Amino acid sequence: MNLDELGVFLRSRRARISPPEVGLPTGPRRRVPGLRRDEVAHLAGASVDYYIELERGRGAQPSAQMLAALARALRLDHDERDHLFRLAGRTPPPGAGGTAAHVAPAMLALLDRLETTPARIITDLHETLVQNRLADALLGPAGPESFVEQWFTDPGSRDVYPVDDHPHHSRVLVADLRAAVAHRDRDARAGALVGRLRKVSPEFTALWDSGDVAVRRGERKRINHPELGVVDINCQNLFSEDGRQRLQFFTAPVGGAAVEQLRLLAVIGTQALTGPNQ
């Protein structure tokens, strides 16, 4: 672990990024090249004081999740991300596993440009890696767990969808997970997820044993929103080259009520918003 070099590296990466590259306004009185420290902290979901301490080479060893968030905020490529982890005394995570997974800068750049569209990047195991402000407002804050696991273990996670739609979502989630597990080819994390769910959920076990498989590319969804009611919306996915990550975005059908609901969503934001995500 070399926290002094970690601070130097963070400052150098921060200085090379312009605000528009990460979806931030330039502002009239910008005195530093690249991003300010408070902007990096905001993008990474960290407190400003915590990030300042990291740049000063002080404070506690950052977690793998925080390092992954900083790598995304600073648009690091794979080599830079691995270097960041090693400076912090952490082993770089292999592949696209969990919430510490590396997200390609190009995919993040596209997410940044979807300012008027709820959007997020998830893994093929339905772990949310990063989502924009409107996705927070529509779906609620993202947790670190796989939404498939939440769906079959936490009844409250289903509140995001109308009750009549629950059987459909159970089927498509399991069929999509089966495709992901096969694509990962004996991946330990994917196998462990299936094993846990088979132990605790008879519904999951019955659907898994049906053998149905289908990649979830896009569909019409009805989403419960505490302020707007039921939002009838299109959900589409753009896949990374290896298929393990997806840029998922939500758009209103032409002429549908969701056109106005999304406009209001941008105004309401996350006020009084609670509940699961997906």
Side-chain angles (χ1 to χ4, degrees):
M1 181 169 60
N2 190 333
L3 293 182
D4 288 335
E5 284 299 319
L6 175 66
V8 171
F9 185 62
L10 289 172
R11 291 195 297 273
S12 71
R13 300 305 89 182
R14 173 168 63 86
R16 70 176 184 170
I17 301 177
S18 66
E21 288 182 273
V22 292
L24 296 174
T26 301
R29 295 184 178 180
R30 184 166 294 272
R31 298 180 180 178
V32 297
L35 299 178
R36 298 192 300 264
R37 289 179 295 189
D38 64 298
E39 291 171 332
V40 176
H42 170 73
L43 291 169
S47 72
V48 177
D49 288 341
Y50 176 80
Y51 181 74
I52 289 174
E53 289 298 291
L54 284 181
E55 281 207 358
R56 289 176 175 172
R58 303 172 186 170
Q61 181 188 37
S63 67
Q65 287 73 25
M66 177 53 61
L67 292 169
L70 289 170
R72 293 170 199 143
L74 296 169
R75 302 306 188 257
L76 304 186
D77 62 25
H78 276 281
D79 292 337
E80 291 170 327
R81 189 281 309 262
D82 288 356
H83 184 62
L84 178 71
F85 269 72
R86 293 187 180 104
L87 288 176
R90 301 282 185 186
T91 301
T99 53
H102 180 70
V103 182
M107 187 175 282
L108 285 167
L110 182 55
L111 178 66
D112 291 333
R113 284 158 176 76
L114 297 175
E115 297 179 356
T116 61
T117 303
R120 61 186 180 175
I121 298 172
I122 66 174
T123 71
D124 55 346
L125 302 183
H126 292 262
E127 301 150 322
T128 300
L129 302 177
V130 60
Q131 62 184 25
N132 65 12
R133 183 182 67 88
L134 283 181
D136 277 336
L138 178 65
L139 305 167
E145 308 90 352
S146 162
F147 185 73
V148 181
E149 187 157 15
Q150 292 179 46
W151 181 263
F152 289 102
T153 60
D154 177 12
S157 68
R158 301 192 176 199
D159 292 344
V160 70
Y161 296 131
V163 173
D164 289 347
D165 298 348
H166 289 182
H168 164 75
H169 289 296
S170 292
R171 289 193 301 272
V172 297
L173 282 169
V174 174
D176 185 79
L177 179 63
R178 179 179 289 280
V181 171
H183 183 77
R184 284 174 173 248
D185 191 21
R186 295 186 293 277
D187 175 77
R189 290 184 63 254
L193 174 60
V194 172
R196 289 195 303 273
L197 288 174
R198 287 182 66 89
K199 288 180 180 179
V200 300
S201 173
E203 180 190 14
F204 175 86
T205 299
L207 290 169
W208 185 264
D209 289 345
S210 74
D212 290 346
V213 57
V215 176
R216 198 176 194 179
R217 294 181 173 87
E219 62 179 329
R220 192 81 163 255
K221 288 187 176 185
R222 296 192 301 161
I223 295 174
N224 288 326
H225 189 275
E227 306 295 333
L228 302 176
V230 177
V231 182
D232 190 346
I233 200 167
N234 291 323
C235 174
Q236 299 293 327
N237 294 284
L238 296 177
F239 293 80
S240 62
E241 186 175 355
D242 65 3
R244 291 195 176 192
Q245 294 180 7
R246 309 168 183 187
L247 175 61
Q248 189 175 75
F249 58 98
F250 301 83
T251 58
V254 176
V259 174
E260 179 65 14
Q261 287 174 311
L262 288 187
R263 188 190 70 79
L264 291 174
L265 185 70
V267 177
I268 295 171
T270 58
Q271 298 177 50
L273 181 64
T274 59
N277 69 89
Q278 179 70 358

